[in-house]
Amino acid sequence: MSNRACFVAFSMLILASLACSLPGAASPSPVAPAPESIPTFTPPVQDPEKPTEPPAPPTLTPEPTALQPQVRALDPRTLSGCDIFLEADFPNAVGSAPTASQPLSDAEKKACQYTFASGMIFAAISTSLPGREAFENVRQFDAMTGGTIEPITLGEIAVFKVFDENRVTLEAVLNGWYVVLDAQGFDRKHLLLLAELLLANLTPYSPVP
């Protein structure tokens, strides 16, 4: 190889070496991937909390007022119809009002039969004799009429006369009047409550003028 050729080859090597060392000629370095965008959670904007209003109170329907027994001055001789007891006297005593009533008065007594869905009550007040006398007269027939006599504390004197499970009679002298309460379908406590009402209402007995 001639000297010229050697110089050319050497010059090319020098140029090649210089080319490799130039900044723009260097092999491109691997490009780092762009960072992935990470989605971020943005909470929804909420309205300011409003104060919770209390619920409206329930609308209550008033219960019907129960009939109450009436306090009254009761003179048996002046009674008409079935006024021994009024309709308002029964709900507290027997639990219901009568569905019908039938006057049964005569010259000797004021009387009425009250009919209920669950039974019957007969009420009578003697007007011709003093109560004690009428009470003793009836006792003479106890053996004939049957029933079991059970004395009770009420008024001047009183007894229950029990015939069977469905029928019981209360006989008493209340404020001087002879009173009879006879029931079918009711028990003794019902008759006792009615008798106590009469005891509170009956005027004292007075002889027939």
Side-chain angles (χ1 to χ4, degrees), residues 20-96:
C20 290
S21 62
L22 290 174
S27 300
S29 58
V31 178
E36 296 182 4
S37 60
I38 300 175
T40 59
F41 174 76
T42 302
V45 178
Q46 298 181 353
D47 294 334
E49 292 187 1
K50 297 180 179 180
T52 303
E53 297 181 359
T59 302
L60 300 178
T61 302
E63 297 183 359
T65 303
L67 295 175
Q68 298 296 322
Q70 299 180 17
V71 177
R72 55 194 175 120
L74 193 62
D75 182 350
R77 293 192 182 99
T78 64
L79 292 177
S80 61
C82 281
D83 287 345
I84 295 175
F85 294 109
L86 302 179
E87 183 179 348
D89 295 334
F90 289 105
N92 282 342
V94 302
S96 62

Side-chain angles (χ1 to χ4, degrees), residues 95-194:
S96 62
T99 57
S101 58
Q102 180 182 358
L104 298 171
S105 300
D106 56 30
E108 305 293 325
K109 65 183 180 297
K110 297 294 185 178
C112 183
Q113 179 174 296
Y114 304 91
T115 303
F116 300 80
S118 56
M120 178 275 298
I121 293 176
F122 170 81
I125 304 175
S126 174
T127 56
S128 61
L129 292 174
R132 189 73 182 226
E133 182 180 348
F135 182 89
E136 296 299 342
N137 288 345
V138 173
R139 298 284 69 77
Q140 301 176 34
F141 303 98
D142 285 339
M144 297 175 55
T145 58
T148 303
I149 302 296
E150 300 178 8
I152 59 173
T153 302
L154 178 69
E156 298 171 36
I157 188 170
V159 296
F160 276 124
K161 195 170 186 179
V162 182
F163 294 92
D164 54 44
E165 292 182 357
N166 293 320
R167 184 187 173 198
V168 60
T169 298
L170 187 154
E171 299 179 35
V173 179
L174 307 176
N175 296 345
W177 302 92
Y178 173 60
V179 175
V180 176
L181 300 176
D182 185 87
Q184 293 182 358
F186 297 95
D187 56 31
R188 282 176 276 192
K189 70 178 181 181
H190 297 132
L191 294 185
L192 187 58
L193 289 172
L194 290 173

Side-chain angles (χ1 to χ4, degrees), residues 1 3-19:
M1 181 182 293
N3 291 335
R4 183 177 177 82
C6 290
F7 176 77
V8 171
F10 180 73
S11 297
M12 292 176 61
L13 290 175
I14 295 297
L15 291 173
S17 179
L18 291 174

